[in-house]
């Protein structure tokens, strides 16, 4: 114990052991009342402390919270003081955050910085904190808070395990990368005990994703997992079981990735005619692209250190985090609309970093040492990103780009002058974008009319930027090294995203050869597009109706231009999602009528409001559900909310009364009773408006509906299979979960069998079956569906030409045999292996 005199701010009478409180607010008020009673602050300071908590989280980490007053209430501080409440059993500060030491701070100057610095160092000494959380000797707490110098001279304690422990050897083939680490973190957060993961002398709190990644665990590493607290042994076993359950999936993913990598290697890729200079990197997104080099300058941020008081800094940081969360939600929504939910999940993972305990704690540590909030945040981001990059694991190194991307966004919220706009000066002609690395959000926003391909010095093929490049169809090479950045702007380059090479200053012969290769691929696409207006009729005369999925009337023209024969799915959620209130009956009628008019007699299927699951509408004030995909969504919601159902039905029947080929389709039907009730509602509205009878169909999205298709077909005029949701429910995989996205494959034999059951059930009552999910837009998927007996396919407009071409080149008996064989396969990969891609055709075109 130190022999120094106590700091005037830390006095024994301000330490209360074994305190109790009803909640966090009560704990803060008690700390404030101690300070008032000691004469440190005037009455009302406790209210200021509570108000401060409302604008910024004061949980420092490792069971320590530091509530203090608002900056504008410093006038209430009469002298510096520190009040400490010890909660042996802990008190919930925020979900997943339990405080054992609540350190209330009153300070009119920076005199409390030494105490806060000591606290931030203490949170790295878990053994001592556990002692302080249970001690009945106030002098131990006093000593821990008063002596800053001893910490600077004391050697770091060796890593220690907690009371209960288990050892495990990591058997994930690619180590503990982001996907399993996120699962570890979620499992740890669900347990109300202290957990620790130790590898050698390095330890991590498994609740922190960044801390886990910084361990750099590889296959074969032996770790110790330990726990303490009531029920520690059972909780430890639960956590251990959760992480070992991932082994099967990780091994399967590694095998699948190896299989895909082997399949992706071209048998005979493009080769230059001559010997141009070449920089080798790693293939990240397939294809060949030609363009002049455009160097995206690395923006070295000069973040000036402007220290502010802790209250002001905390409020600035919390406000920036809140605004960034809102910005990220907008990016998630936009990416979902443009590229799909799978790619949007990238930004959901990024957004989760905003709540990372280690990141916030390190920022707070730097702030309490006297640094400005922007500087502290930037340093915390750079330190953690640097640690990830230095681990030698390319998967984890790729995550550093995500960390810097989200860090940059927060910086721009703290200080708008730190925002970056480095993509504004792209040339008009398609270029090869060269950069040290690209942030995922930058990649998602690229204009594909101005960027032909991407080459980066850093990054990895599993990075989120690489994934987005593949979605955008931009050939990409990553990890090409520093030499790439030394190339002169304007240099002609060829990016080969199949082999991972960047060719520089190619000869005219090389360029001609590359253009022929690109043209061979484009020729096939062009041939498909040239025939896009022809119906999808197989060689033996079997016709399949081809429609488009659209949301708005102004999208109809493009859908028809791409070969659409109608609208097979009009999603009406956008009417509710993109505004702050519900549209009126008249507003809905105007939209439906405009859609019918734009189709000019072609069929239109309107899906009623499908809210719930991944689509939430704030202004509807729906109750929060733990499992929204298994809760009140689709038809279940409509049956409970006549204020939503009735206006929509009235608008639809009014639109039908004025002419057109309109059908109504209800989502998320699980029982005959639901369908009968909805038909009754439809009929009541129809009669009241003297409107015509229109076909009423249902979505087949859950296994129960597929299994009961024969019963539902008695009462439905048609079925439309939503393969995205059907896959999710059949395989028990949240299709928005980035960890499981690759496993949510609609070509899984189980999903195909459910579709076959749906078709068989519909045939009993002479009903037709369509598919409006993602599988319909895959040419091979469309072939399988046709073979299964589906007679209508609806998809995004860009997929129409290729699907129609595939069906026109086929014969129905062959498709039926293909589908029958697919049903006997054991996995989605086996089904996909049945497809014979027209690579030979492309090679023949190139050779010609």
């Amino acid at each position: 114990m130190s022999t120094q005199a106590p700091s005037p701010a830390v006095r024994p009478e301000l330490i209360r052991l074994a305190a109790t409180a009803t909640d966090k607010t009560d704990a803060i008020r008690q700390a404030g009342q101690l300070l008032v009673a000691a004469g440190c602050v005037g009455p009302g300071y406790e209210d200021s402390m509570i108000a401060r908590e409302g604008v910024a989280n004061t949980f420092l980490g490792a069971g320590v919270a530091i509530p203090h007053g608002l900056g504008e209430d410093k006038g209430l501080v009469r002298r510096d003081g520190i009040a400490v409440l010890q909660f042996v059993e802990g008190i919930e500060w925020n979900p997943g955050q339990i405080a054992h030491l609540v350190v209330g701070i009153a300070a009119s100057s920076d005199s409390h910085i030494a105490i806060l610095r000591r606290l931030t160092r203490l949170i790295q000494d878990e053994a001592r904190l556990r002692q302080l959380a249970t001690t009945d000797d106030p002098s131990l707490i006093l000593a821990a808070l008063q002596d800053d110098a001893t910490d600077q001279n004391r050697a770091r304690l060796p890593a220690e395990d907690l009371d209960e422990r288990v050892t495990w050897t990591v058997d994930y083939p690619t180590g503990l990368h982001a996907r399993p680490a996120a699962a570890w973190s979620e499992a740890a957060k669900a347990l109300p005990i202290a957990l620790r993961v130790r590898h050698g002398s390095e330890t991590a709190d498994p609740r922190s994703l960044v801390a886990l990644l910084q361990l750099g665990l590889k296959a074969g590493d032996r770790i110790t997992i330990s726990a303490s607290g009531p029920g520690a042994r059972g909780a430890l076993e639960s956590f251990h079981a959760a992480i070992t359950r991932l082994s099967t999936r990780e091994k399967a993913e590694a095998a699948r990735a190896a299989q895909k990598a082997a399949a992706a290697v071209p048998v005979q890729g493009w080769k230059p005619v001559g010997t141009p200079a070449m920089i080798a990197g790693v293939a990240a997104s397939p294809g060949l692209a030609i363009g002049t080099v455009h160097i995206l300058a690395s923006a070295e941020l000069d973040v000036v250190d402007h220290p502010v008081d802790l209250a002001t800094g905390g409020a600035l940081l919390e406000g920036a985090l809140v605004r960034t969360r809102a910005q990220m939600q907008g990016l998630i929504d936009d990416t979902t609309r443009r590229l799909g939910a799978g790619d949007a999940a990238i930004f959901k993972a990024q957004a989760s970093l905003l709540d990372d305990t280690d990141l916030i704690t390190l920022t707070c540590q730097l702030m309490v040492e006297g640094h400005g909030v922007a500087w502290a945040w930037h340093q915390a981001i750079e330190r953690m990103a640097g640690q990830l990059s230095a681990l030698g694991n390319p998967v984890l190194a790729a995550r550093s780009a995500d960390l810097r991307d989200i860090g940059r966004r927060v910086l721009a919220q703290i200080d708008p002058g730190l925002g970056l706009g480095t993509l504004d000066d792209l040339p008009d002609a398609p270029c090869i974008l060269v950069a040290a690395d690209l942030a995922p959000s930058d990649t998602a926003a690229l204009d594909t009319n101005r960027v032909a391909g991407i080459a980066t010095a850093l990054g990895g093929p599993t990075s989120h930027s690489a994934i987005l490049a593949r979605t955008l169809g931009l050939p990409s090479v990553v990890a090409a090294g520093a030499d790439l950045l030394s190339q002169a702007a304007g240099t002609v380059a060829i990016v080969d995203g199949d082999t991972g090479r960047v060719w520089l200053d190619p000869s005219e012969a090389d360029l001609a050869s590359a253009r022929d290769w690109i043209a061979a691929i484009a020729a096939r696409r062009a041939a498909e597009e040239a025939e896009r207006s022809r119906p999808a009729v197989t060689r033996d005369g079997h016709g399949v109706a081809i429609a488009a999925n659209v949301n708005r009337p102004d999208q109809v023209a493009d859908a028809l231009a791409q070969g659409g024969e109608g609208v097979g799915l009009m999603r009406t959620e956008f009417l509710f999602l993109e505004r702050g209130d519900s549209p009126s009956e008249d507003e809905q009628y105007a939209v439906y009528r405009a859609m019918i008019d734009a189709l000019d007699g072609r069929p239109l299927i309107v899906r009623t409001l499908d809210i719930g699951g991944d689509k939430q509408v704030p202004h509807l004030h729906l109750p929060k559900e733990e499992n929204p995909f298994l809760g009140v969504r689709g038809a279940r919601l409509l049956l409970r909310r006549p204020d939503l159902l009735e206006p929509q039905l009235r608008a639809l029947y009014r639109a039908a009364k004025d002419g057109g080929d309109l059908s109504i389709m209800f989502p998320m039907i699980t029982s005959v009773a639901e369908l009968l009730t909805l038909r009754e509602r439809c009929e009541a509205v129809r009669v009241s408006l003297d409107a015509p009878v229109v076909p009423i169909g249902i979505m087949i999205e859950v296994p129960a509906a597929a299994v009961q298709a024969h019963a539902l077909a008695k009462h439905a005029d048609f079925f439309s299979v939503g393969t995205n949701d059907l896959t999710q429910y059949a395989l028990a995989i949240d299709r928005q979960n980035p960890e499981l996205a690759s496993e949510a494959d609609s070509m899984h034999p189980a999903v195909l069998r459910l579709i076959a059951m749906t078709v068989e059930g519909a045939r009993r009552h002479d009903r037709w079956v369509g598919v409006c999910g993602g599988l319909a837009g895959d040419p091979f998927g469309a072939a399988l569906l046709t073979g299964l007996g589906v007679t209508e396919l609806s998809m995004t407009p860009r997929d129409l030409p290729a699907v129609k071409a595939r069906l026109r080149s086929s014969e129905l008996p062959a498709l039926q045999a293909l589908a029958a064989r697919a049903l006997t396969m054991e996995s989605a990969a086996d089904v996909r292996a049945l497809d014979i891609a027209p690579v030979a055709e492309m090679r023949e075109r190139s050779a010609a």
Side-chain angles (χ1 to χ4, degrees):
M1 185 184 299
S2 171
T3 58
Q4 291 184 355
S7 162
V10 187
R11 302 199 301 275
E13 63 267 29
L14 289 176
I15 298 175
R16 179 179 294 173
L17 301 179
T20 60
T22 56
D23 55 19
K24 176 175 71 171
T25 299
D26 185 27
I28 295 173
R29 188 171 296 282
Q30 289 185 39
Q33 289 170 347
L34 277 177
L35 293 169
V36 171
C40 298
V41 296
Y45 188 77
E46 62 269 42
D47 293 327
S48 180
M49 295 171 73
I50 293 170
R52 171 68 175 75
E53 192 68 26
V55 298
N57 180 16
T58 60
F59 189 83
L60 192 58
V64 178
I66 52 169
H68 44 281
L70 295 167
E72 59 263 35
D73 291 331
K74 280 189 175 182
L76 293 173
V77 179
R78 296 170 181 170
R79 65 172 182 269
D80 295 346
I82 305 291
V84 182
L85 278 72
Q86 176 205 61
F87 293 91
V88 177
E89 298 298 327
I91 186 166
E92 185 179 65
W93 209 254
N94 292 304
Q97 297 176 340
I98 304 298
H100 291 279
L101 292 177
V102 175
V103 183
I105 300 171
S108 57
S109 65
D110 291 334
S111 60
H112 65 302
I113 290 296
I115 294 294
L116 294 175
R117 183 183 295 115
R118 186 72 183 94
L119 280 170
T120 55
R121 288 173 177 160
L122 263 178
I123 65 174
Q124 300 177 53
D125 188 348
E126 293 183 10
R128 195 173 189 189
L129 278 176
R130 288 200 307 275
Q131 180 189 37
L132 298 180
T134 58
T135 184
D136 57 2
D137 183 357
S139 66
L140 293 180
I141 296 177
L142 190 66
L145 295 176
Q146 73 180 14
D147 191 359
D148 189 52
T150 56
D151 182 80
Q152 299 175 28
N153 300 322
R154 179 172 58 84
R156 284 189 66 176
L157 294 175
E160 297 177 351
D161 299 324
L162 303 178
D163 301 335
E164 299 287 346
R165 66 200 68 177
V166 65
T167 58
W168 181 62
T169 299
V170 179
D171 62 357
Y172 305 161
T174 54
L176 186 65
H177 56 97
R179 184 178 59 233
W184 286 30
S185 176
E186 289 302 313
K189 289 176 181 177
L191 297 172
I193 62 163
L195 283 168
R196 181 183 295 178
V197 177
R198 178 177 61 81
H199 177 232
S201 61
E202 298 294 323
T203 63
D205 181 342
R207 290 171 296 184
S208 168
L209 177 61
V210 172
L212 284 171
L213 294 178
Q214 287 174 345
L215 289 177
L217 296 178
K218 303 179 295 297
D221 285 346
R222 191 169 180 80
I223 63 173
T224 299
I225 309 164
S226 57
S228 66
R233 171 48 60 178
L236 180 61
E237 291 174 353
S238 173
F239 181 74
H240 181 240
I243 66 175
T244 55
R245 277 196 301 270
L246 297 174
S247 297
T248 301
R249 184 192 71 184
E250 288 300 309
K251 292 174 182 176
E253 279 294 321
R256 210 160 21 240
Q259 184 180 23
K260 288 181 180 179
V265 176
V267 177
Q268 185 180 354
W270 178 81
K271 295 180 181 179
V273 176
T275 56
M278 185 269 289
I279 295 177
V282 177
S285 179
L288 206 64
I290 303 171
T292 56
V293 168
H294 177 80
I295 304 289
L296 185 63
S298 178
E300 294 294 336
L301 287 177
D302 181 17
V303 182
V304 180
D305 192 0
H306 289 303
V308 294
D309 64 88
L310 188 62
T312 301
L316 281 172
L317 179 60
E318 181 64 16
L321 292 173
V322 168
R323 291 189 295 275
T324 305
R325 288 188 189 99
Q327 184 186 66
M328 291 303 294
Q329 187 57 54
L331 181 59
I332 291 166
D333 294 342
D334 178 65
T335 306
T336 300
R337 285 192 293 268
R338 295 194 304 113
L339 305 180
D343 290 309
I346 290 170
F347 299 113
K348 291 184 71 174
Q350 274 195 1
S352 69
L353 291 170
L354 295 171
D355 299 312
D356 188 85
T357 304
D358 282 2
L359 181 59
I360 302 299
T361 298
L362 179 54
T363 303
C364 291
Q365 289 174 339
L366 294 171
M367 288 168 59
V368 298
E369 288 176 2
H371 296 291
V373 58
W375 189 93
W377 173 261
H378 182 55
Q379 287 296 311
I381 289 287
E382 287 302 311
R383 289 184 193 181
M384 289 190 168
Q387 289 168 357
L388 290 176
S389 297
L391 289 174
N393 184 323
V395 176
L396 301 186
R399 297 289 84 79
S400 65
D402 294 331
L403 197 56
R404 287 189 170 100
D405 191 16
I406 199 70
R408 186 189 71 181
R409 290 178 174 276
V410 175
L411 274 180
Q413 294 295 333
I414 296 171
D415 180 356
L418 297 174
L420 300 178
T422 53
L423 291 172
D424 293 338
D425 59 345
L426 288 173
D428 292 332
C431 68
I432 301 300
L433 186 62
V434 172
D437 204 354
L438 274 182
S441 56
D442 285 338
T443 308
L446 288 178
D447 182 351
T448 54
N449 292 318
R450 300 171 71 184
V451 177
I454 302 170
T456 63
L458 306 174
T462 61
S463 71
H464 288 152
S465 290
I467 294 169
L468 290 166
R470 290 193 287 273
T471 299
L472 292 168
L474 291 174
S476 176
V477 172
V478 298
D483 287 348
L484 181 68
L485 300 177
S486 65
Q487 304 306 309
T491 301
V492 176
I494 300 173
V495 168
D496 188 343
D498 292 303
T499 64
R501 291 176 170 84
V502 180
W503 303 92
L504 302 166
D505 283 322
S507 67
E508 284 302 321
D510 295 328
L511 290 171
S513 174
R515 291 186 184 111
D516 287 344
W517 187 268
I518 295 171
I521 300 173
R524 187 179 73 243
R525 294 175 181 164
E528 294 168 350
E529 292 183 2
E531 301 290 321
R532 63 185 182 271
S533 61
R534 291 179 55 200
V537 178
T538 64
R539 289 174 176 173
D540 55 336
H542 177 73
V544 179
I546 303 294
N549 299 340
V550 300
N551 295 344
R552 304 177 182 85
D554 59 8
Q555 297 172 332
V556 170
D558 178 62
L560 297 180
Q562 291 299 317
E565 300 162 0
V567 170
L569 170 65
M570 177 191 177
R571 304 179 184 91
T572 58
E573 300 82 62
F574 84 94
L575 293 169
F576 295 76
L577 289 169
E578 298 181 359
R579 53 187 291 163
D581 57 358
S582 296
S584 67
E585 176 186 324
D586 288 341
E587 289 173 314
Q588 292 190 62
Y589 162 79
V591 173
Y592 305 144
R593 194 60 241 170
M595 185 75 81
I596 293 171
D597 292 340
L599 284 167
D600 193 23
R602 299 175 182 87
L604 166 64
I605 299 176
V606 178
R607 183 177 70 188
T608 56
L609 182 62
D610 187 15
I611 292 296
D614 57 326
K615 299 184 287 290
Q616 297 292 330
V617 181
H619 71 262
L620 294 182
H621 306 295
L622 302 178
K624 182 179 179 181
E625 297 182 277
E626 291 299 322
N627 294 295
F629 277 112
L630 301 179
V632 180
R633 62 171 299 205
R636 296 171 179 173
L637 175 65
L638 294 176
L639 289 170
R640 289 165 171 80
R641 291 287 298 269
D643 60 309
L644 298 175
L645 176 61
E646 299 297 329
Q648 184 165 40
L649 291 181
R650 288 183 60 83
L652 285 167
Y653 275 104
R654 283 173 58 193
K657 187 174 181 178
D658 292 338
D661 186 351
L662 173 69
S663 298
I664 297 173
M665 180 165 65
F666 290 106
M668 194 68 181
I669 293 293
T670 56
S671 70
V672 171
E674 288 174 336
L675 176 55
L676 290 175
T677 301
L678 288 167
R679 289 202 72 116
E680 290 173 1
R681 303 278 179 87
C682 287
E683 183 61 13
V685 170
R686 186 194 71 79
V687 171
S688 69
L689 294 172
D690 191 25
V693 173
V694 301
I696 295 174
I698 63 171
M699 296 281 292
I700 302 294
E701 298 173 282
V702 297
V707 173
Q708 284 286 95
H710 64 285
L712 290 166
K714 292 180 183 179
H715 311 286
D717 297 313
F718 64 92
F719 292 155
S720 186
V721 181
T723 53
N724 299 342
D725 268 331
L726 184 61
T727 301
Q728 148 172 277
Y729 292 122
L731 303 183
I733 292 177
D734 181 345
R735 58 189 172 93
Q736 287 198 311
N737 188 325
E739 297 177 33
L740 302 173
S742 63
E743 299 178 41
D745 193 329
S746 295
M747 290 195 191
H748 193 290
V751 179
L752 298 180
R753 284 181 174 276
L754 288 170
I755 296 173
M757 293 177 69
T758 300
V759 172
E760 178 57 32
R763 280 177 178 161
R764 296 191 193 181
H765 300 278
D766 197 26
R767 310 301 191 193
W768 62 267
V769 177
V771 172
C772 59
L775 190 59
D778 181 314
F780 179 56
L784 286 174
L785 292 170
T786 301
L788 289 172
V790 171
T791 57
E792 187 254 15
L793 300 170
S794 190
M795 64 209 72
T796 56
R798 68 174 179 269
D799 295 330
L800 289 162
V803 167
K804 295 179 79 173
R806 179 67 178 254
L807 295 179
R808 283 196 301 265
S809 67
S810 307
E811 294 183 356
L812 184 59
L815 296 180
Q816 291 170 333
L818 175 67
R821 190 176 176 193
L823 295 178
T824 68
M825 295 293 105
E826 296 181 355
S827 68
D830 293 337
V831 173
R832 289 186 179 279
L834 298 176
D835 187 23
I836 301 175
V839 176
E841 177 190 350
M842 185 271 291
R843 297 190 186 283
E844 290 173 3
R845 288 179 182 273
S846 178

